[in-house]
Amino acid sequence: MNRNKTICIIEDDPNYLMLTQKMIEFTTLFKEILTFRNGKQAFEGLMDRKASHGDFPDFILLDINMPIWDAWDFLDEFSKHTQDWNGVVYIITSSIDKVDESKSKEYSLVKGYLKKPVGFEKIIEIFNL
């Protein structure tokens, strides 16, 4: 994989966020790791990034249940601005609700639905290594 890629983690659990960030850093696959604690913060941050850098991250790891905006709120708004985006979203969640998994398939941006905890091997696998 080309190390010029950027990844974004949207996760409200500080421990899981730190663990995921450390696993991704360990792969040395990404030049930049962005982190946000809820969907609204992520949406605003990514729109600011688009305005200043001209692009969105290549990958987004998205938790479902978060305060302020959950994954669905984020995806509803973010998808309005991604017509020319070639990146992908992976939902990473502790939700065992089949409705959530089914709903994730309604979004063309979502490439996969993974249940926590996601280990290092799975992180490597989803980036096709």
Side-chain angles (χ1 to χ4, degrees), residues 42-85:
F43 175 75
E44 291 169 351
L46 294 179
M47 295 311 293
D48 287 346
R49 179 188 171 81
K50 175 77 170 170
S52 64
H53 289 80
D55 65 359
F56 291 123
D58 302 288
F59 297 93
I60 296 175
L61 303 180
L62 177 62
D63 186 24
I64 291 179
N65 297 312
M66 296 176 288
I68 304 175
W69 279 14
D70 63 14
W72 316 127
D73 296 323
F74 171 80
L75 287 167
D76 287 343
E77 291 304 311
F78 187 65
S79 63
K80 294 175 186 175
H81 303 274
T82 57
Q83 299 83 341
D84 60 348
W85 183 55

Side-chain angles (χ1 to χ4, degrees), residues 5-120:
K5 301 285 185 186
T6 300
I7 188 166
C8 174
I9 308 165
I10 307 170
E11 170 66 59
D12 66 317
D13 180 321
N15 294 323
Y16 198 78
L17 175 62
M18 183 180 69
L19 175 66
T20 304
Q21 185 174 356
K22 292 295 180 194
M23 282 192 294
I24 290 169
E25 286 171 359
F26 188 75
T27 70
T28 69
L29 295 173
F30 297 94
K31 70 173 180 178
E32 186 176 13
I33 301 171
L34 308 171
T35 61
F36 299 100
R37 300 294 297 272
N38 67 65
K40 187 170 195 292
Q41 181 189 60
F43 175 75
E44 291 169 351
L46 294 179
M47 295 311 293
D48 287 346
R49 179 188 171 81
K50 175 77 170 170
S52 64
H53 289 80
D55 65 359
F56 291 123
D58 302 288
F59 297 93
I60 296 175
L61 303 180
L62 177 62
D63 186 24
I64 291 179
N65 297 312
M66 296 176 288
I68 304 175
W69 279 14
D70 63 14
W72 316 127
D73 296 323
F74 171 80
L75 287 167
D76 287 343
E77 291 304 311
F78 187 65
S79 63
K80 294 175 186 175
H81 303 274
T82 57
Q83 299 83 341
D84 60 348
W85 183 55
N86 293 324
V88 294
V89 175
Y90 286 92
I91 300 243
I92 298 182
T93 184
S94 57
S95 173
I96 58 171
D97 189 342
K98 292 290 183 194
V99 172
D100 284 337
E101 189 169 357
S102 179
K103 187 171 184 169
S104 74
K105 294 174 183 169
E106 296 174 14
Y107 296 90
S108 62
L109 301 175
V110 176
K111 176 156 180 134
Y113 186 94
L114 306 169
K115 293 186 178 141
K116 291 179 184 174
V118 176
F120 185 72

Side-chain angles (χ1 to χ4, degrees), residues 1-2 27 29-30 120-121 123-129:
M1 174 175 265
N2 184 341
T27 70
L29 295 173
F30 297 94
F120 185 72
E121 297 79 18
I123 291 288
I124 295 293
E125 181 185 318
I126 67 174
F127 301 120
N128 298 314
L129 299 177

